[in-house]
Amino acid sequence: MDVDGAVGVADFDGDTHADFLLRGSGTSTAYSAWLGNGAPGGWTGLGQIAGGV
């Protein structure tokens, strides 16, 4: 299923805090990621991590 702006939430980096991955909308195949550190508002943006996938 192709879902615009789909979000995936998991602990991608193994630090026990939730992280999330966002798929671009429309025809975009870019993916961006943010790592959570467990603090309120504690997100570190990694920016675009993949494109053309």
Side-chain angles (χ1 to χ4, degrees):
M1 179 167 87
D2 186 16
V3 179
D4 283 350
V7 175
V9 179
D11 180 12
F12 300 122
D13 61 357
D15 68 354
T16 73
H17 302 295
D19 308 314
F20 70 95
L21 183 70
L22 174 66
R23 179 184 180 271
S25 61
T27 59
S28 173
T29 56
Y31 289 80
S32 298
W34 289 262
L35 300 179
N37 67 14
W43 297 99
T44 300
L46 299 180
Q48 184 174 325
I49 60 167
V53 177

